[in-house]
Amino acid sequence: MTVTCCIRYVIDPFQAAEFEAYARNWLTIIPACGGDLLGYFLPHEGTNNVALALISFESLAAYEAYRARLRADASGAANFAMAQAKRFILSEARTWLTPVT
C-alpha cells in the first residue's frame, strides 16, 4: 500500500524566496534518498504563509529507510542547516494519507 506524507509548512511570507530555494534543493535530494516526490507547492493566491510538500513511499517501512538515508546525506543535512539558520520555516506538520481507489 502506498502512503503519502503531506508536509504543511507555515513560512515567513517575507522569506518566500528563501523557502523556494530550500524546496528546489529537495527536488533532487528526496528522489536520490528514495522518496517519490510529488512536489512542493508554494503560496500563490489567498493565504501567503502556507506551503505544502507531498512525498509518497511504498510503505511506512520504506519511509523509515528513506529517513535513515536522508540523515546520512550531506546535501540533505546542508539544506536542513540552511533552513535552521535562516528561520523561514515557522512550523511544519506531517499528515499521512492513502489514496482512495
Side-chain angles (χ1 to χ4, degrees), residues 20-100:
E20 183 174 358
Y22 169 82
R24 189 163 280 123
N25 290 339
W26 290 124
L27 298 181
T28 55
I29 298 166
I30 290 171
C33 290
D36 180 13
L37 179 63
L38 303 176
Y40 268 82
F41 302 88
L42 303 173
H44 179 69
E45 277 296 316
T47 302
N48 69 350
N49 68 337
V50 174
L52 299 172
L54 296 169
I55 310 165
S56 287
F57 303 92
E58 291 178 12
S59 64
L60 287 176
Y63 169 72
E64 292 301 328
Y66 157 83
R67 292 287 294 170
R69 286 188 296 273
L70 189 60
R71 279 191 290 276
D73 185 82
S75 297
N79 209 33
F80 281 127
M82 184 262 293
Q84 289 179 335
K86 294 188 176 186
R87 303 176 62 111
F88 48 77
I89 298 172
L90 305 178
S91 68
E92 62 183 77
R94 285 174 173 72
T95 301
W96 288 94
L97 308 167
T98 57
V100 175

